[in-house]
Amino acid sequence: MKAIGIVLAGGNSNRMSGLSKLRAISAMPIAGSYRAIDFTLSNMTNSHVQKVAVLTQYNSRSLHEHLSSSKWWDFGRKQGGLFVFTPTITPDNGFWYRGTADAIYQNLTFLHQSHEPYVIIASGDGIYKLDYRKVLEYHIDKNADITVVTKHVNVTEDEVTRYGLVKTDADGRIVDYEEKPLIANSSTVSCGIYVIRRRLLIELIESAAKEERYDLVKDILVRYKDVKKLYSYNLETYWSNIACVDSYYKTNMDFLKPEVRNYFFREYPDVYSKIDDLPPAKYNPQAVVKNSLVSSGSILNGVVENSLLFKGVYVGNNTVIKNSIVLNGTYIEDNVYLENVIVESRNTIKQGSRFVGEGKPLVISDMTDRYGIEEK
Amino acid sequence: MYYNEMGDKLNKCMEEKALIKKEMIAMLLAGGQGSRLGVLTSKIAKPAVSFGGKYRIIDFPLSNCINSGIDTVGVLTQYQPLRLNTHIGIGIPWDLDRNVGGVSILPPYEKSANSEWYTGTANAIYQNLRFIDYYNPEYVLILGGDHIYKMDYEIMLEYHKKNNADVTIATLPVPYEEAHRFGICIADETGRINEFEEKPKNPRSNLASMGIYIFTWKVLREALIKLSEVPGCDFGKHIIPYCHENGKRIFSFVHNGYWKDVGTLQSYWETNMELIELIPVFNLYESFWKIYTKTDVIPPQYIAEDAIVNQAIIGEGAEIYGEVVHSIIGPGVVVKKGAKVVDSILMNSTEIGENAYVDKAIIAENCVIGKGTVIGFGEEAPNEFNSGIYNSGLVTIGEDTVIPAGVKVGRNTAITGSTTLEDYPDNVLPSGKNIFKEVALV
């Protein structure tokens, strides 16, 4: 393969309503059995990108645990591999990553020491399947300096202003690029996936650092949009970014639709993840389950409708769960009623409780007294 | 003689160098066909048969090894090893991918003289003397690949050492009325075994041998070489009696936990079904003593709007659109709309067509059951091919089998291969009949 990969997985978002209190967004559990970053890493391995660096910073314990071995995604160990780079203190630098460009700058050695001519940069919070080789082909074909993967979205449904917005000419060249504008003037959003020549990336990152500019989008892409040839590669297939509660909820619920489920679960290529070695799910006599995804290690005694149960969830007797997302290792006692909620990992929902999300999904967290931690 | 001299030299050499030293290594006998499982093992060895909606039988001894701190395991294969080989690989799922030790697959191999298959359990170990010598162990653990249990072999080893034993046999207390079916050990109050009885009519003890042994390697090595000429050299029949006759210290280590032999279709079915109970005797849901396996299917399972799932265990990536009652459903299985599965075991990636009805069947991997087909109906009749294997009213379907739409299959039947309507006169396979066909390689 002619490219190496960089996955930007260090960020946080205040739109996550406390869900990112426990972990980086890239480590958010998705679709029952996965973490967000699995999709990007699987795309890398399925595109034969065999050398991938993941840049982490914010709340990365859970993410690092997930990235414990390159084996889960079939990356090599000698011919390439999976590298996790966290900020370190060096004689020249004592800063955290001050932005995405700075994160790459602080790991420039990785780029210098590689020999592959191209770099694929992707964020760790996108849910999609994409053969990066096709983007690279397009990039070479268009003789582009930087190719940005984009997606047309429905302006009325999505909060497009949380993305970078691009406008292109008939050839696909980007003529306008705005990052998180106040008013949306386009319905084409950047997916946060870029292809660029390695030497050009080094050059741009170094000159940005000299000027004390630290953001890849604001300080490089947007600034260079008229100087360099930026092209847009339009993604026709499913893509979703999970960096806010609503879209996190919606993305998970999308997997209840047969077309989305088949696309990700049954069609080639596979999405890989770290294996947890949990036993199969168990349905006891009182269990009633309708239109739901259930993951391994779960034990069900109650009613579950239009919901996602992640790994190792226990559902008590006479408990009802509707339109909800229950994350890993949650223990839901008897006679509980949950509707339109997201239950954070390893929480315990006490007997007889009732939680209903009005309008927006309600995030339930900090109920961890099972582990002897006092409830506040 | 060859091994004797060479082995001694090697041993001496190893001891002097002492580069590698494992206190105990395990040898897992996984070469048997398990013919009592009928068509389930027509293409795979018994240890590779799926179990419990996720696992394969060999996962239990392999997981027990790593959970007991044994990081060197030789797996002896012979009968149909492909599935076992791909399952075990280099041992990643069990953390048995090691620089020194780890898992090694040991098939029979050609030698300059006297090449032969593994002719017996002990003969298989004898043919791999050099493998064991390489690790220079004090003790060797001998395991079978056909039992469902959790056991800490480290505790057994401590017991072995404490007794200064030459051989320790794991034993299971069985009801006296059933003791006549087993090899029985008669032990004194210290646990030392003074006598053996093979399937006794009037048992004097209820301690059944589980086929799990710890040998002090020197003792086993000497016995293997001494008995190397015995045809079909076997642990139970030759090695243990030899050690006993020579006054070796043989002890019984009583295992009081769960242990099930899944060597017959009946016991295989029952042991699976026990997992469904509200509080199963054998609990796979404890985080302590995990059972590891190679996971090929990652996605969660989907239970559709109109589906009914009751008293079931369902594996990853399965999709249920119909009804599943009191059954074990493997990874990637699809039960289509209107289909009903009762009291059955469906293994990996099998598909049950719309409106099909499956009652008390064991259906192996990658089978396709046609629309509206009925599996298991009517009165039982003894199986014409072998009523000792196919009984208890079970329908047994081998892997990659295709059953066309609209046919009816009776009880105590077995089917394997790509069957078509012509194989079912009047669209019916009556109870007690069989269809054995080759799988079409297209």
Side-chain angles (χ1 to χ4, degrees):
Chain A
M1 181 59 183
K2 288 183 293 215
I4 54 170
I6 292 180
V7 181
L8 302 170
N12 182 26
S13 169
N14 52 14
R15 295 166 194 258
M16 288 304 275
S17 301
L19 281 175
S20 58
K21 211 168 121 184
L22 289 186
R23 58 183 96 68
I25 296 172
S26 300
M28 283 303 293
I30 295 285
S33 305
Y34 301 91
R35 302 283 183 150
I37 199 170
D38 289 333
F39 293 83
T40 296
L41 290 178
S42 300
N43 287 334
M44 290 282 181
T45 194
N46 289 329
S47 308
H48 298 193
V49 178
Q50 282 155 357
K51 186 173 176 186
V52 176
V54 181
L55 308 182
T56 69
Q57 171 161 289
Y58 171 78
N59 213 350
S60 53
R61 182 203 55 81
S62 166
L63 184 58
H64 286 180
E65 219 172 271
H66 189 65
L67 301 176
S68 59
S69 169
S70 64
K71 285 170 186 167
W72 318 137
W73 299 273
D74 254 352
F75 292 116
R77 287 160 290 278
K78 294 182 179 175
Q79 302 265 318
L82 180 70
F83 301 85
V84 181
F85 294 137
T86 51
T88 56
I89 292 173
T90 68
D92 318 319
N93 177 50
F95 294 105
W96 292 89
Y97 295 153
R98 285 162 289 183
T100 44
D102 189 41
I104 298 174
Y105 180 72
Q106 290 194 30
N107 295 292
L108 216 52
T109 324
F110 173 73
L111 288 176
H112 279 301
Q113 288 183 346
S114 298
H115 58 83
E116 292 83 349
Y118 296 96
V119 183
I120 288 155
I121 303 173
S123 69
D125 54 5
I127 307 304
Y128 63 106
K129 274 185 179 179
L130 175 60
D131 188 340
Y132 298 131
R133 287 174 298 185
K134 285 189 185 149
V135 188
L136 182 59
E137 233 168 70
Y138 174 90
H139 177 84
I140 294 168
D141 198 44
K142 292 284 180 191
N143 202 14
D145 290 316
I146 303 170
T147 298
V148 180
V149 177
T150 58
K151 172 93 184 160
H152 293 299
V153 295
N154 193 334
V155 187
T156 48
E157 266 187 31
D158 280 279
E159 311 170 57
V160 287
T161 51
R162 70 185 176 95
Y163 301 112
L165 297 180
V166 301
K167 274 186 184 166
T168 61
D169 64 14
D171 188 38
R173 181 159 177 183
I174 295 174
V175 292
D176 199 9
Y177 197 135
E178 275 193 286
E179 176 69 354
K180 296 176 184 144
L182 287 173
I183 297 162
N185 60 358
S186 161
S187 60
T188 307
V189 305
S190 159
C191 300
I193 305 158
Y194 318 104
V195 174
I196 182 170
R197 219 157 29 83
R198 182 173 55 89
R199 293 205 171 277
L200 178 62
L201 179 64
I202 293 173
E203 202 179 289
L204 294 176
I205 293 278
E206 277 180 339
S207 62
K210 256 186 216 139
E211 297 172 20
E212 301 191 348
R213 293 175 184 273
Y214 305 120
D215 191 78
L216 185 66
V217 179
K218 271 193 305 223
D219 297 328
I220 295 178
L221 297 177
V222 175
R223 280 186 85 222
Y224 281 89
K225 67 174 186 292
D226 301 322
V227 186
K228 298 284 180 191
K229 279 182 287 179
L230 268 65
Y231 272 81
S232 137
Y233 176 95
N234 194 48
L235 189 60
E236 305 285 348
T237 45
Y238 186 94
W239 175 82
S240 171
N241 177 285
I242 54 141
C244 75
V245 174
D246 285 348
S247 97
Y248 176 72
Y249 179 82
K250 189 180 157 295
T251 305
N252 275 301
M253 286 301 174
D254 276 347
F255 281 85
L256 293 178
K257 299 175 188 161
E259 65 276 11
V260 176
R261 203 170 57 241
N262 286 339
Y263 176 62
F264 282 105
F265 294 171
R266 297 231 160 208
E267 279 175 33
Y268 178 84
D270 274 354
V271 182
Y272 311 104
S273 188
K274 184 182 164 205
I275 305 295
D276 274 336
D277 296 288
L278 290 163
K282 185 164 183 280
Y283 298 74
N284 284 333
Q286 303 302 314
V288 177
V289 183
K290 305 271 176 209
N291 188 37
S292 296
L293 285 167
V294 180
S295 307
S296 47
S298 294
I299 299 176
L300 292 83
N301 295 292
V303 178
V304 179
E305 280 177 30
N306 308 319
S307 297
L308 273 80
L309 303 189
F310 283 67
K311 294 175 187 171
V313 171
Y314 176 85
V315 179
N317 290 307
N318 297 318
T319 281
V320 176
I321 301 172
K322 283 182 178 170
N323 307 325
S324 294
I325 294 169
V326 183
L327 299 188
N328 303 323
T330 298
Y331 192 91
I332 301 172
E333 296 184 349
D334 299 345
N335 304 309
V336 170
Y337 184 87
L338 300 176
E339 190 176 339
N340 199 24
V341 299
I342 301 173
V343 186
E344 185 49 280
S345 295
R346 291 179 294 282
N347 273 249
T348 300
I349 309 295
K350 286 273 174 218
Q351 209 167 24
S353 346
R354 184 186 162 89
F355 292 97
V356 178
E358 305 292 350
K360 273 181 158 239
L362 173 73
V363 176
I364 304 172
S365 55
D366 296 327
M367 296 200 174
T368 48
D369 57 330
R370 180 165 35 131
Y371 296 99
I373 302 160
E374 285 287 310
E375 240 180 303
K376 279 178 196 128
Chain B
M1 282 319 283
Y2 169 80
Y3 275 127
N4 210 354
E5 286 163 23
M6 279 303 288
D8 280 347
K9 261 186 203 164
L10 200 70
N11 241 4
K12 215 175 158 205
C13 187
M14 298 300 280
E15 267 163 32
E16 277 165 14
K17 282 189 187 167
L19 285 176
I20 293 175
K21 175 89 193 158
K22 298 277 181 187
E23 186 182 32
M24 179 159 80
I25 73 170
M27 298 297 273
L28 207 167
L29 297 158
Q33 176 182 359
S35 53
R36 287 175 303 155
L37 288 180
V39 292
L40 294 187
T41 54
S42 58
K43 269 175 274 157
I44 59 173
K46 177 158 76 169
V49 171
S50 300
F51 180 85
K54 171 153 185 159
Y55 308 96
R56 296 188 188 275
I57 296 169
I58 198 169
D59 292 334
F60 294 88
L62 276 181
S63 301
N64 285 340
C65 279
I66 195 69
N67 288 337
S68 305
I70 299 168
D71 66 2
T72 307
V73 184
V75 179
L76 299 119
T77 61
Q78 175 157 284
Y79 176 81
Q80 293 277 25
L82 177 63
R83 186 70 51 78
L84 265 182
N85 290 344
T86 51
H87 183 66
I88 295 169
I90 58 165
I92 292 174
W94 305 271
D95 265 1
L96 285 171
D97 51 324
R98 301 291 170 111
N99 284 334
V100 180
V103 68
S104 302
I105 294 188
L106 304 169
Y109 53 93
E110 193 181 343
K111 301 159 197 72
S112 54
N114 301 327
S115 297
E116 57 180 358
W117 295 99
Y118 294 153
T119 58
T121 51
N123 176 266
I125 304 295
Y126 172 72
Q127 291 197 40
N128 289 286
L129 267 186
R130 291 187 62 184
F131 172 82
I132 303 174
D133 278 339
Y134 176 77
Y135 291 106
N136 194 17
E138 289 292 317
Y139 310 100
V140 173
L141 171 67
I142 307 291
L143 300 170
D146 41 12
H147 299 124
I148 306 296
Y149 64 111
K150 295 182 187 176
M151 183 172 174
D152 192 340
Y153 305 131
E154 201 176 4
I155 294 175
M156 185 172 166
L157 177 62
E158 275 165 24
Y159 179 84
H160 181 87
K161 288 196 261 185
K162 195 188 79 197
N163 288 322
N164 199 16
D166 297 306
V167 188
T168 300
I169 302 176
T171 56
L172 185 79
V174 294
Y176 269 94
E177 52 272 27
E178 282 181 39
H180 64 91
R181 289 170 38 217
F182 297 91
I184 295 295
C185 304
I186 298 158
D188 65 19
E189 64 279 5
T190 64
R192 183 158 181 180
I193 299 174
N194 302 314
E195 227 176 311
F196 293 93
E197 284 181 331
E198 190 60 28
K199 298 184 178 157
K201 283 211 178 81
N202 301 307
R204 286 185 287 147
S205 153
N206 67 338
L207 294 177
S209 166
M210 295 160 65
I212 299 168
Y213 313 104
I214 289 178
F215 282 93
T216 298
W217 174 227
K218 267 189 197 145
V219 174
L220 175 61
R221 197 172 183 284
E222 191 259 334
L224 286 172
I225 292 165
K226 200 88 184 180
L227 301 181
S228 64
E229 301 299 319
V230 175
C233 191
D234 181 272
F235 277 100
K237 284 193 203 110
H238 307 112
I239 299 289
I240 300 287
Y242 174 84
C243 291
H244 186 50
E245 283 156 22
N246 285 278
K248 300 293 182 197
R249 293 171 61 81
I250 306 177
F251 282 78
S252 145
F253 175 76
V254 181
H255 173 69
N256 281 309
Y258 185 92
W259 182 85
K260 276 286 155 79
D261 181 297
V262 288
T264 65
L265 288 171
Q266 172 71 16
S267 67
Y268 173 81
W269 183 81
E270 275 172 7
T271 308
N272 269 284
M273 290 301 152
E274 280 177 14
L275 296 174
I276 302 172
E277 281 162 27
L278 191 59
I279 297 161
V281 190
F282 189 60
N283 192 346
L284 292 166
Y285 294 82
E286 299 162 329
S287 48
F288 177 70
W289 214 267
K290 261 191 187 176
I291 304 301
Y292 301 97
T293 187
K294 180 167 184 276
T295 306
D296 297 320
V297 186
I298 298 172
Q301 54 204 258
Y302 177 71
I303 312 296
E305 186 70 45
D306 307 323
I308 298 172
V309 178
N310 203 295
Q311 302 174 67
I313 279 183
I314 301 185
E316 280 105 344
E319 298 197 351
I320 312 296
Y321 298 92
E323 191 172 342
V324 172
V325 181
H326 200 257
S327 293
I328 303 269
I329 308 292
V333 166
V334 179
V335 176
K336 296 204 169 162
K337 226 176 161 138
K340 185 168 181 180
V341 178
V342 185
D343 292 337
S344 295
I345 300 165
L346 310 185
M347 298 186 202
N348 315 26
S349 305
T350 276
E351 190 183 298
I352 307 296
E354 283 172 28
N355 301 317
Y357 183 80
V358 179
D359 181 24
K360 206 173 181 192
I362 302 174
I363 305 183
E365 299 171 39
N366 301 313
C367 292
V368 178
I369 308 299
K371 264 190 199 176
T373 292
V374 177
I375 307 283
F377 84 101
E379 292 299 309
E380 287 184 30
N383 189 278
E384 290 180 353
F385 174 71
N386 190 334
S387 61
I389 294 176
Y390 304 109
N391 50 37
S392 318
L394 282 164
V395 180
T396 311
I397 298 177
E399 64 177 69
D400 302 321
T401 296
V402 177
I403 298 188
V407 301
K408 291 175 88 177
V409 176
R411 303 186 194 278
N412 289 336
T413 48
I415 303 174
T416 179
S418 318
T419 64
T420 56
L421 273 180
E422 284 109 69
D423 300 310
Y424 302 84
D426 304 323
N427 287 349
V428 172
L429 181 74
S431 293
K433 304 268 186 189
N434 306 289
I435 304 174
F436 300 127
K437 274 184 96 177
E438 278 301 302
V439 171
L441 287 172
V442 280

